[in-house]
Structures are given as C-alpha cells and as structure tokens.
Amino acid sequence: MAKLTTDELLDAFKEMTLIELSEFVKQFEETFGVTAAAPVAVAAAPAAGGAAGGDDAAAAQDEFDVILEAAGDKKINVIKEVRALTSLGLKEAKDLVEGAPKAILEKVNKETADKAKESLEGAGATVTLK
C-alpha cells in the first residue's frame, strides 16, 4: 500500500461525515491504544458515555442539544438565526437548515438552549431540546 501524504489524508477526512469521522477516531484509538485530543473525539466520547448513564443523566441533565426539526415558511430568517448562533458560513447554515432535523447546538447549558430555541422559533422554525 502506498504511503499517503498529510494533504491526501486531510482531503480524505474532508469527504467524511461527522459520524464516519467519529467512528474512524474510535477505531484509531482502539488500534493504537491512544486517546485523540481532537474536538470531534471529545464530542463523541460524552455521547457514548451519556447513553450508558441512563437514569442518572435524565435526572440531572445540565447539557442540552438544540434540534432544528423544520425551517418553516421563513427559511431565510432561520438561516440567519443559525448563522448568528453557530458562526457558520452561509452555505453551511443553508445546508444545515435544509437538512433538518439537525442539531444546531450540542451540549449547551439550559439558558443558552432556551435562548437559541426562542430565537429560532421567532424566525419561524420548529425546535426541540434534548
């Protein structure tokens, strides 16, 4: 097998979805017995640990995900709100809104989640907190 350059590896990672990248990081960690310090790996680890927590996590939930269920009739306003909340570019925010249901914010506190939900609903979107 030919050795890949760093640029070739980065190009391959750019083509992967977050789920595929998360699975890659887990397999990499298992294969080499290391822990990755990348933000993707850190975000993936609490999700797996949180699922195992079960009732304890539900009783004292302090982190919430803001899920955009539907953009509604005023999609442009919703895209503007998504950009304001996430600092995504126009194309990324548009793709996120059009791909609903999607998580807009993950692992945020109750106050931030409520503000985000209020602003998105004010723009015409349907939002849930999990």
Side-chain angles (χ1 to χ4, degrees):
M1 182 173 156
K3 189 173 182 179
L4 298 176
T5 67
T6 303
D7 290 335
E8 291 171 332
L9 285 170
L10 288 174
D11 288 339
F13 292 141
K14 288 178 185 176
E15 299 297 320
M16 298 173 88
T17 65
L18 286 177
I19 293 173
E20 292 169 335
L21 191 55
S22 173
E23 290 170 357
F24 169 78
V25 169
K26 287 178 188 174
Q27 188 172 354
F28 185 91
E29 289 174 340
E30 291 172 7
T31 302
F32 295 103
V34 296
T35 302
V40 173
V42 173
D55 297 332
D56 296 339
Q61 183 176 1
D62 60 349
E63 293 182 336
F64 295 86
D65 294 343
V66 180
I67 311 294
L68 175 69
E69 298 295 336
D73 295 336
K74 300 177 181 179
K75 186 168 34 171
I76 293 173
N77 291 340
V78 175
I79 292 170
K80 288 179 183 177
E81 285 300 321
V82 168
R83 288 188 71 202
L85 292 168
T86 62
S87 70
L88 289 174
L90 180 60
K91 182 182 182 331
E92 291 83 5
K94 180 179 180 279
D95 291 345
L96 194 144
V97 169
E98 289 177 346
K102 293 274 187 172
I104 303 295
L105 298 172
E106 295 179 332
K107 309 285 186 239
V108 296
N109 62 31
K110 178 72 171 161
E111 182 179 326
T112 304
D114 286 338
K115 286 181 182 180
K117 180 178 180 184
E118 183 179 316
S119 66
L120 287 165
E121 287 178 342
T126 304
V127 181
T128 59
L129 298 180
K130 292 189 178 186

Short mmCIF file of all heavy atoms in Angstrom, two decimals, residues 61-120:
data_model
loop_
_atom_site.label_atom_id
_atom_site.label_comp_id
_atom_site.label_asym_id
_atom_site.label_seq_id
_atom_site.Cartn_x
_atom_site.Cartn_y
_atom_site.Cartn_z
N GLN A 61 -29.95 16.53 34.15
CA GLN A 61 -29.47 16.96 32.84
C GLN A 61 -29.04 18.42 32.90
O GLN A 61 -29.82 19.29 33.27
CB GLN A 61 -30.55 16.77 31.78
CG GLN A 61 -30.08 17.13 30.40
CD GLN A 61 -31.13 16.85 29.35
OE1 GLN A 61 -32.22 16.40 29.65
NE2 GLN A 61 -30.79 17.12 28.10
N ASP A 62 -27.79 18.68 32.56
CA ASP A 62 -27.31 20.05 32.54
C ASP A 62 -26.76 20.44 31.17
O ASP A 62 -26.32 21.55 30.98
CB ASP A 62 -26.26 20.28 33.64
CG ASP A 62 -25.07 19.37 33.48
OD1 ASP A 62 -25.12 18.43 32.66
OD2 ASP A 62 -24.06 19.60 34.17
N GLU A 63 -26.79 19.51 30.23
CA GLU A 63 -26.38 19.80 28.86
C GLU A 63 -27.52 19.45 27.92
O GLU A 63 -28.15 18.41 28.06
CB GLU A 63 -25.13 19.00 28.49
CG GLU A 63 -23.90 19.42 29.26
CD GLU A 63 -22.67 18.63 28.83
OE1 GLU A 63 -22.82 17.51 28.31
OE2 GLU A 63 -21.57 19.15 29.03
N PHE A 64 -27.77 20.34 26.98
CA PHE A 64 -28.88 20.16 26.07
C PHE A 64 -28.42 20.28 24.63
O PHE A 64 -27.46 20.98 24.33
CB PHE A 64 -29.96 21.23 26.34
CG PHE A 64 -30.59 21.10 27.69
CD1 PHE A 64 -30.01 21.70 28.80
CD2 PHE A 64 -31.76 20.38 27.87
CE1 PHE A 64 -30.58 21.59 30.06
CE2 PHE A 64 -32.33 20.26 29.12
CZ PHE A 64 -31.75 20.86 30.22
N ASP A 65 -29.14 19.60 23.73
CA ASP A 65 -28.93 19.74 22.30
C ASP A 65 -30.13 20.50 21.75
O ASP A 65 -31.27 20.20 22.07
CB ASP A 65 -28.86 18.38 21.61
CG ASP A 65 -27.63 17.58 22.04
OD1 ASP A 65 -26.69 18.18 22.59
OD2 ASP A 65 -27.62 16.36 21.81
N VAL A 66 -29.86 21.51 20.92
CA VAL A 66 -30.92 22.27 20.26
C VAL A 66 -31.09 21.66 18.88
O VAL A 66 -30.18 21.73 18.05
CB VAL A 66 -30.55 23.77 20.17
CG1 VAL A 66 -31.67 24.54 19.47
CG2 VAL A 66 -30.28 24.34 21.55
N ILE A 67 -32.24 21.03 18.63
CA ILE A 67 -32.50 20.32 17.38
C ILE A 67 -33.49 21.11 16.53
O ILE A 67 -34.60 21.41 16.98
CB ILE A 67 -33.10 18.92 17.65
CG1 ILE A 67 -32.29 18.15 18.69
CG2 ILE A 67 -33.26 18.14 16.35
CD1 ILE A 67 -30.91 17.78 18.28
N LEU A 68 -33.08 21.44 15.31
CA LEU A 68 -33.96 22.10 14.35
C LEU A 68 -34.77 21.01 13.68
O LEU A 68 -34.24 20.17 12.96
CB LEU A 68 -33.13 22.87 13.31
CG LEU A 68 -33.93 23.52 12.18
CD1 LEU A 68 -34.78 24.67 12.72
CD2 LEU A 68 -33.01 24.01 11.09
N GLU A 69 -36.07 20.98 13.96
CA GLU A 69 -36.96 19.97 13.38
C GLU A 69 -37.41 20.35 11.98
O GLU A 69 -37.47 19.51 11.09
CB GLU A 69 -38.18 19.75 14.28
CG GLU A 69 -37.85 19.22 15.66
CD GLU A 69 -37.25 17.82 15.66
OE1 GLU A 69 -37.48 17.05 14.70
OE2 GLU A 69 -36.53 17.49 16.62
N ALA A 70 -37.75 21.63 11.78
CA ALA A 70 -38.20 22.12 10.47
C ALA A 70 -37.96 23.62 10.39
O ALA A 70 -38.05 24.33 11.39
CB ALA A 70 -39.69 21.82 10.27
N ALA A 71 -37.67 24.11 9.17
CA ALA A 71 -37.36 25.52 8.98
C ALA A 71 -38.62 26.38 8.91
O ALA A 71 -38.58 27.56 9.21
CB ALA A 71 -36.53 25.72 7.72
N GLY A 72 -39.73 25.80 8.50
CA GLY A 72 -40.96 26.58 8.37
C GLY A 72 -40.99 27.38 7.08
O GLY A 72 -40.22 27.14 6.14
N ASP A 73 -41.88 28.37 7.02
CA ASP A 73 -42.07 29.16 5.80
C ASP A 73 -40.99 30.21 5.59
O ASP A 73 -40.75 30.64 4.48
CB ASP A 73 -43.44 29.87 5.85
CG ASP A 73 -44.59 28.87 5.83
OD1 ASP A 73 -44.38 27.75 5.33
OD2 ASP A 73 -45.68 29.21 6.31
N LYS A 74 -40.35 30.66 6.65
CA LYS A 74 -39.36 31.75 6.56
C LYS A 74 -37.95 31.19 6.69
O LYS A 74 -37.22 31.50 7.63
CB LYS A 74 -39.63 32.78 7.64
CG LYS A 74 -41.01 33.41 7.52
CD LYS A 74 -41.28 34.38 8.63
CE LYS A 74 -42.66 34.96 8.50
NZ LYS A 74 -42.96 35.89 9.58
N LYS A 75 -37.56 30.37 5.71
CA LYS A 75 -36.28 29.69 5.76
C LYS A 75 -35.10 30.66 5.81
O LYS A 75 -34.12 30.42 6.51
CB LYS A 75 -36.14 28.75 4.56
CG LYS A 75 -34.90 27.90 4.63
CD LYS A 75 -34.80 26.75 3.65
CE LYS A 75 -35.40 26.96 2.32
NZ LYS A 75 -35.08 25.89 1.37
N ILE A 76 -35.19 31.77 5.12
CA ILE A 76 -34.10 32.75 5.10
C ILE A 76 -33.84 33.30 6.50
O ILE A 76 -32.69 33.42 6.95
CB ILE A 76 -34.38 33.88 4.09
CG1 ILE A 76 -34.34 33.31 2.68
CG2 ILE A 76 -33.38 35.01 4.25
CD1 ILE A 76 -34.77 34.26 1.60
N ASN A 77 -34.91 33.61 7.22
CA ASN A 77 -34.77 34.11 8.60
C ASN A 77 -34.15 33.05 9.51
O ASN A 77 -33.34 33.36 10.39
CB ASN A 77 -36.11 34.57 9.15
CG ASN A 77 -36.62 35.82 8.45
OD1 ASN A 77 -35.85 36.54 7.84
ND2 ASN A 77 -37.92 36.05 8.53
N VAL A 78 -34.54 31.80 9.29
CA VAL A 78 -34.00 30.71 10.10
C VAL A 78 -32.51 30.55 9.81
O VAL A 78 -31.70 30.37 10.72
CB VAL A 78 -34.77 29.40 9.84
CG1 VAL A 78 -34.13 28.23 10.58
CG2 VAL A 78 -36.23 29.55 10.27
N ILE A 79 -32.12 30.63 8.54
CA ILE A 79 -30.70 30.54 8.17
C ILE A 79 -29.91 31.66 8.84
O ILE A 79 -28.82 31.42 9.37
CB ILE A 79 -30.53 30.58 6.63
CG1 ILE A 79 -31.11 29.32 6.00
CG2 ILE A 79 -29.06 30.75 6.25
CD1 ILE A 79 -31.20 29.36 4.49
N LYS A 80 -30.47 32.86 8.88
CA LYS A 80 -29.80 33.98 9.54
C LYS A 80 -29.60 33.70 11.02
O LYS A 80 -28.54 33.97 11.59
CB LYS A 80 -30.60 35.27 9.36
CG LYS A 80 -30.56 35.84 7.96
CD LYS A 80 -31.40 37.09 7.86
CE LYS A 80 -31.43 37.64 6.45
NZ LYS A 80 -32.30 38.82 6.33
N GLU A 81 -30.61 33.15 11.67
CA GLU A 81 -30.50 32.83 13.10
C GLU A 81 -29.47 31.73 13.34
O GLU A 81 -28.71 31.79 14.30
CB GLU A 81 -31.86 32.42 13.67
CG GLU A 81 -32.81 33.57 13.88
CD GLU A 81 -32.27 34.63 14.82
OE1 GLU A 81 -31.62 34.29 15.84
OE2 GLU A 81 -32.49 35.82 14.54
N VAL A 82 -29.47 30.72 12.47
CA VAL A 82 -28.50 29.63 12.61
C VAL A 82 -27.09 30.19 12.48
O VAL A 82 -26.20 29.85 13.26
CB VAL A 82 -28.76 28.52 11.57
CG1 VAL A 82 -27.59 27.53 11.50
CG2 VAL A 82 -30.04 27.78 11.89
N ARG A 83 -26.88 31.09 11.53
CA ARG A 83 -25.55 31.70 11.36
C ARG A 83 -25.16 32.50 12.60
O ARG A 83 -24.01 32.46 13.03
CB ARG A 83 -25.54 32.62 10.14
CG ARG A 83 -25.58 31.84 8.83
CD ARG A 83 -25.36 32.72 7.64
NE ARG A 83 -23.96 33.15 7.64
CZ ARG A 83 -23.52 34.23 7.01
NH1 ARG A 83 -24.36 34.98 6.33
NH2 ARG A 83 -22.25 34.56 7.04
N ALA A 84 -26.12 33.21 13.18
CA ALA A 84 -25.83 34.02 14.37
C ALA A 84 -25.48 33.12 15.57
O ALA A 84 -24.60 33.45 16.37
CB ALA A 84 -27.02 34.90 14.71
N LEU A 85 -26.17 31.98 15.68
CA LEU A 85 -25.94 31.09 16.82
C LEU A 85 -24.66 30.26 16.69
O LEU A 85 -24.02 29.94 17.68
CB LEU A 85 -27.12 30.13 16.98
CG LEU A 85 -28.44 30.75 17.42
CD1 LEU A 85 -29.58 29.77 17.26
CD2 LEU A 85 -28.34 31.22 18.86
N THR A 86 -24.29 29.92 15.46
CA THR A 86 -23.20 28.97 15.26
C THR A 86 -21.96 29.56 14.61
O THR A 86 -20.93 28.91 14.60
CB THR A 86 -23.66 27.81 14.37
OG1 THR A 86 -24.03 28.34 13.08
CG2 THR A 86 -24.82 27.07 14.97
N SER A 87 -22.06 30.73 14.04
CA SER A 87 -20.98 31.37 13.27
C SER A 87 -20.57 30.54 12.07
O SER A 87 -19.43 30.58 11.64
CB SER A 87 -19.76 31.72 14.16
OG SER A 87 -19.10 30.55 14.57
N LEU A 88 -21.53 29.78 11.51
CA LEU A 88 -21.29 29.04 10.27
C LEU A 88 -21.34 30.00 9.10
O LEU A 88 -21.94 31.06 9.18
CB LEU A 88 -22.36 27.96 10.07
CG LEU A 88 -22.34 26.74 10.98
CD1 LEU A 88 -23.56 25.88 10.72
CD2 LEU A 88 -21.08 25.94 10.77
N GLY A 89 -20.77 29.59 7.99
CA GLY A 89 -20.88 30.36 6.77
C GLY A 89 -22.27 30.20 6.17
O GLY A 89 -23.06 29.36 6.61
N LEU A 90 -22.58 30.99 5.17
CA LEU A 90 -23.91 30.97 4.56
C LEU A 90 -24.24 29.60 3.99
O LEU A 90 -25.33 29.06 4.24
CB LEU A 90 -24.01 32.04 3.47
CG LEU A 90 -25.36 32.14 2.75
CD1 LEU A 90 -26.47 32.46 3.74
CD2 LEU A 90 -25.30 33.20 1.66
N LYS A 91 -23.33 29.01 3.25
CA LYS A 91 -23.60 27.71 2.62
C LYS A 91 -23.80 26.63 3.67
O LYS A 91 -24.73 25.82 3.58
CB LYS A 91 -22.46 27.32 1.69
CG LYS A 91 -22.72 25.99 0.97
CD LYS A 91 -21.56 25.61 0.08
CE LYS A 91 -21.75 24.34 -0.69
NZ LYS A 91 -22.56 23.32 -0.18
N GLU A 92 -22.95 26.62 4.69
CA GLU A 92 -23.06 25.60 5.73
C GLU A 92 -24.37 25.74 6.51
O GLU A 92 -25.02 24.74 6.82
CB GLU A 92 -21.87 25.69 6.70
CG GLU A 92 -20.54 25.29 6.09
CD GLU A 92 -19.87 26.41 5.32
OE1 GLU A 92 -20.38 27.56 5.33
OE2 GLU A 92 -18.84 26.15 4.68
N ALA A 93 -24.75 26.98 6.83
CA ALA A 93 -26.00 27.21 7.55
C ALA A 93 -27.19 26.81 6.70
O ALA A 93 -28.14 26.19 7.19
CB ALA A 93 -26.12 28.68 7.96
N LYS A 94 -27.15 27.13 5.40
CA LYS A 94 -28.24 26.78 4.49
C LYS A 94 -28.36 25.26 4.39
O LYS A 94 -29.48 24.72 4.48
CB LYS A 94 -27.97 27.37 3.11
CG LYS A 94 -29.05 27.06 2.08
CD LYS A 94 -28.69 27.72 0.74
CE LYS A 94 -29.73 27.44 -0.31
NZ LYS A 94 -29.56 26.13 -0.93
N ASP A 95 -27.24 24.56 4.25
CA ASP A 95 -27.26 23.10 4.17
C ASP A 95 -27.81 22.49 5.46
O ASP A 95 -28.58 21.53 5.42
CB ASP A 95 -25.85 22.56 3.91
CG ASP A 95 -25.36 22.88 2.51
OD1 ASP A 95 -26.18 23.27 1.64
OD2 ASP A 95 -24.14 22.77 2.28
N LEU A 96 -27.44 23.06 6.59
CA LEU A 96 -27.91 22.56 7.88
C LEU A 96 -29.42 22.73 7.99
O LEU A 96 -30.14 21.82 8.38
CB LEU A 96 -27.20 23.30 9.01
CG LEU A 96 -27.34 22.66 10.38
CD1 LEU A 96 -26.05 22.85 11.15
CD2 LEU A 96 -28.47 23.27 11.15
N VAL A 97 -29.93 23.90 7.61
CA VAL A 97 -31.36 24.18 7.70
C VAL A 97 -32.14 23.28 6.74
O VAL A 97 -33.18 22.73 7.09
CB VAL A 97 -31.65 25.68 7.42
CG1 VAL A 97 -33.13 25.93 7.24
CG2 VAL A 97 -31.11 26.53 8.56
N GLU A 98 -31.62 23.12 5.53
CA GLU A 98 -32.32 22.29 4.55
C GLU A 98 -32.26 20.81 4.91
O GLU A 98 -33.09 20.03 4.46
CB GLU A 98 -31.74 22.53 3.15
CG GLU A 98 -32.11 23.89 2.61
CD GLU A 98 -31.48 24.19 1.26
OE1 GLU A 98 -30.55 23.47 0.84
OE2 GLU A 98 -31.94 25.15 0.62
N GLY A 99 -31.29 20.42 5.71
CA GLY A 99 -31.16 19.02 6.10
C GLY A 99 -31.89 18.67 7.38
O GLY A 99 -31.65 17.61 7.95
N ALA A 100 -32.77 19.57 7.85
CA ALA A 100 -33.48 19.35 9.11
C ALA A 100 -34.23 18.02 9.05
O ALA A 100 -34.70 17.64 7.99
CB ALA A 100 -34.45 20.49 9.37
N PRO A 101 -34.33 17.29 10.14
CA PRO A 101 -33.92 17.64 11.50
C PRO A 101 -32.42 17.46 11.72
O PRO A 101 -31.86 16.45 11.36
CB PRO A 101 -34.71 16.68 12.37
CG PRO A 101 -35.01 15.51 11.49
CD PRO A 101 -35.07 16.05 10.09
N LYS A 102 -31.81 18.49 12.31
CA LYS A 102 -30.38 18.51 12.59
C LYS A 102 -30.13 19.22 13.91
O LYS A 102 -30.89 20.10 14.30
CB LYS A 102 -29.61 19.28 11.50
CG LYS A 102 -29.59 18.64 10.15
CD LYS A 102 -28.48 17.65 10.05
CE LYS A 102 -28.40 17.17 8.62
NZ LYS A 102 -27.28 16.35 8.35
N ALA A 103 -29.03 18.87 14.55
CA ALA A 103 -28.63 19.55 15.78
C ALA A 103 -27.95 20.87 15.42
O ALA A 103 -27.03 20.90 14.61
CB ALA A 103 -27.67 18.68 16.58
N ILE A 104 -28.44 21.96 16.00
CA ILE A 104 -27.84 23.28 15.78
C ILE A 104 -26.74 23.50 16.81
O ILE A 104 -25.63 23.89 16.47
CB ILE A 104 -28.91 24.40 15.89
CG1 ILE A 104 -30.05 24.17 14.91
CG2 ILE A 104 -28.28 25.76 15.71
CD1 ILE A 104 -29.67 24.25 13.46
N LEU A 105 -27.06 23.27 18.06
CA LEU A 105 -26.09 23.39 19.15
C LEU A 105 -26.11 22.09 19.93
O LEU A 105 -27.17 21.50 20.14
CB LEU A 105 -26.46 24.55 20.08
CG LEU A 105 -26.47 25.95 19.46
CD1 LEU A 105 -27.03 26.96 20.46
CD2 LEU A 105 -25.07 26.36 19.04
N GLU A 106 -24.94 21.65 20.39
CA GLU A 106 -24.86 20.42 21.18
C GLU A 106 -24.15 20.70 22.49
O GLU A 106 -23.22 21.50 22.55
CB GLU A 106 -24.09 19.35 20.40
CG GLU A 106 -24.81 18.91 19.14
CD GLU A 106 -24.04 17.86 18.36
OE1 GLU A 106 -22.80 17.85 18.45
OE2 GLU A 106 -24.69 17.08 17.66
N LYS A 107 -24.63 20.04 23.53
CA LYS A 107 -24.00 20.11 24.86
C LYS A 107 -23.89 21.54 25.39
O LYS A 107 -22.84 21.96 25.83
CB LYS A 107 -22.62 19.45 24.82
CG LYS A 107 -22.58 18.08 24.23
CD LYS A 107 -23.15 17.04 25.15
CE LYS A 107 -22.96 15.65 24.57
NZ LYS A 107 -24.19 14.95 24.39
N VAL A 108 -25.00 22.29 25.31
CA VAL A 108 -25.01 23.65 25.84
C VAL A 108 -25.84 23.67 27.11
O VAL A 108 -26.65 22.78 27.36
CB VAL A 108 -25.55 24.67 24.81
CG1 VAL A 108 -24.64 24.75 23.60
CG2 VAL A 108 -26.97 24.35 24.38
N ASN A 109 -25.66 24.71 27.94
CA ASN A 109 -26.42 24.80 29.18
C ASN A 109 -27.88 25.17 28.89
O ASN A 109 -28.23 25.55 27.78
CB ASN A 109 -25.77 25.76 30.18
CG ASN A 109 -25.72 27.19 29.65
OD1 ASN A 109 -26.58 27.63 28.89
ND2 ASN A 109 -24.71 27.92 30.07
N LYS A 110 -28.72 25.06 29.90
CA LYS A 110 -30.16 25.28 29.75
C LYS A 110 -30.47 26.69 29.26
O LYS A 110 -31.31 26.88 28.39
CB LYS A 110 -30.85 25.00 31.10
CG LYS A 110 -32.34 25.23 31.11
CD LYS A 110 -33.08 24.18 30.33
CE LYS A 110 -34.58 24.32 30.56
NZ LYS A 110 -35.36 23.67 29.54
N GLU A 111 -29.80 27.68 29.82
CA GLU A 111 -30.05 29.07 29.46
C GLU A 111 -29.74 29.32 27.97
O GLU A 111 -30.54 29.92 27.26
CB GLU A 111 -29.21 30.00 30.33
CG GLU A 111 -29.44 31.47 30.07
CD GLU A 111 -28.60 32.34 30.98
OE1 GLU A 111 -28.35 31.95 32.14
OE2 GLU A 111 -28.18 33.41 30.52
N THR A 112 -28.60 28.85 27.51
CA THR A 112 -28.21 29.01 26.11
C THR A 112 -29.19 28.28 25.19
O THR A 112 -29.59 28.79 24.15
CB THR A 112 -26.78 28.49 25.88
OG1 THR A 112 -25.90 29.18 26.76
CG2 THR A 112 -26.33 28.69 24.45
N ALA A 113 -29.57 27.07 25.58
CA ALA A 113 -30.51 26.27 24.78
C ALA A 113 -31.86 26.98 24.68
O ALA A 113 -32.46 27.03 23.60
CB ALA A 113 -30.68 24.89 25.38
N ASP A 114 -32.36 27.53 25.79
CA ASP A 114 -33.64 28.24 25.77
C ASP A 114 -33.59 29.48 24.89
O ASP A 114 -34.53 29.76 24.13
CB ASP A 114 -34.08 28.62 27.19
CG ASP A 114 -34.56 27.42 27.99
OD1 ASP A 114 -34.96 26.40 27.37
OD2 ASP A 114 -34.54 27.49 29.23
N LYS A 115 -32.49 30.24 24.97
CA LYS A 115 -32.34 31.43 24.13
C LYS A 115 -32.30 31.07 22.66
O LYS A 115 -32.92 31.73 21.82
CB LYS A 115 -31.08 32.21 24.52
CG LYS A 115 -31.21 32.97 25.82
CD LYS A 115 -29.94 33.73 26.14
CE LYS A 115 -30.05 34.47 27.46
NZ LYS A 115 -28.83 35.21 27.78
N ALA A 116 -31.56 30.01 22.33
CA ALA A 116 -31.45 29.56 20.94
C ALA A 116 -32.81 29.10 20.43
O ALA A 116 -33.22 29.45 19.31
CB ALA A 116 -30.44 28.44 20.83
N LYS A 117 -33.53 28.35 21.26
CA LYS A 117 -34.86 27.87 20.86
C LYS A 117 -35.79 29.04 20.62
O LYS A 117 -36.51 29.09 19.62
CB LYS A 117 -35.43 26.95 21.94
CG LYS A 117 -36.80 26.40 21.59
CD LYS A 117 -37.32 25.46 22.65
CE LYS A 117 -38.70 24.96 22.23
NZ LYS A 117 -39.33 24.12 23.22
N GLU A 118 -35.76 30.01 21.52
CA GLU A 118 -36.62 31.19 21.39
C GLU A 118 -36.31 31.97 20.11
O GLU A 118 -37.22 32.36 19.38
CB GLU A 118 -36.43 32.09 22.62
CG GLU A 118 -37.34 33.31 22.64
CD GLU A 118 -37.11 34.13 23.90
OE1 GLU A 118 -37.01 33.55 24.99
OE2 GLU A 118 -37.06 35.36 23.76
N SER A 119 -35.03 32.19 19.82
CA SER A 119 -34.69 32.96 18.63
C SER A 119 -35.03 32.21 17.34
O SER A 119 -35.50 32.80 16.38
CB SER A 119 -33.21 33.36 18.64
OG SER A 119 -32.38 32.23 18.54
N LEU A 120 -34.82 30.90 17.33
CA LEU A 120 -35.16 30.11 16.13
C LEU A 120 -36.66 30.03 15.93
O LEU A 120 -37.14 30.13 14.79
CB LEU A 120 -34.55 28.71 16.24
CG LEU A 120 -33.04 28.62 16.05
CD1 LEU A 120 -32.50 27.28 16.52
CD2 LEU A 120 -32.67 28.87 14.60
#
